[in-house]
Amino acid sequence: LKDLVLLLSQLERILDRFKYETAEELGLLDKVKEKGWENMTTYECGKIGGNMVRKLIREAETSLFTNSAGEED
C-alpha cells in the first residue's frame, strides 16, 4: 500500500507538470499563474486537457508503431 501511495504521488506530479507545460505551449501559463486554475474558463481548461489527450494519444500511437515495426510475422 505504501508503494502504491508513492507511485500515485509521483504520477500526480508528472501529470501536473505535463498540464503546466501544455498551458505554456498554448500561451495560457501566465494566466494560470496570475489567476489560478480555479479562475480559468471552462474553454481554457478544456483546451489544455484536450491538447494533453492529443499528445498522449500521439505518443501511444508512436510507441505502438515503433514496437510493431520491430516485430516480424
Side-chain angles (χ1 to χ4, degrees), residues 26 28 31 36-51:
L26 296 171
L28 295 169
K31 187 171 182 182
W37 288 106
E38 64 276 2
N39 295 309
M40 300 294 287
T41 66
T42 302
Y43 176 81
E44 291 164 333
C45 289
K47 192 172 180 180
I48 292 167
N51 275 275

Side-chain angles (χ1 to χ4, degrees), residues 2-15:
K2 194 173 176 183
D3 291 340
L4 180 59
V5 171
L6 179 62
L7 176 63
L8 291 175
S9 175
Q10 291 169 341
L11 289 173
E12 186 177 0
R13 282 194 302 272
I14 290 167
L15 283 175

Side-chain angles (χ1 to χ4, degrees), residues 38-69:
E38 64 276 2
N39 295 309
M40 300 294 287
T41 66
T42 302
Y43 176 81
E44 291 164 333
C45 289
K47 192 172 180 180
I48 292 167
N51 275 275
M52 289 173 66
V53 170
R54 275 191 281 285
K55 286 196 257 181
L56 290 170
I57 291 171
R58 194 176 318 122
E59 184 65 32
E61 288 173 342
T62 300
S63 178
L64 285 172
F65 178 73
T66 302
N67 289 339
S68 65

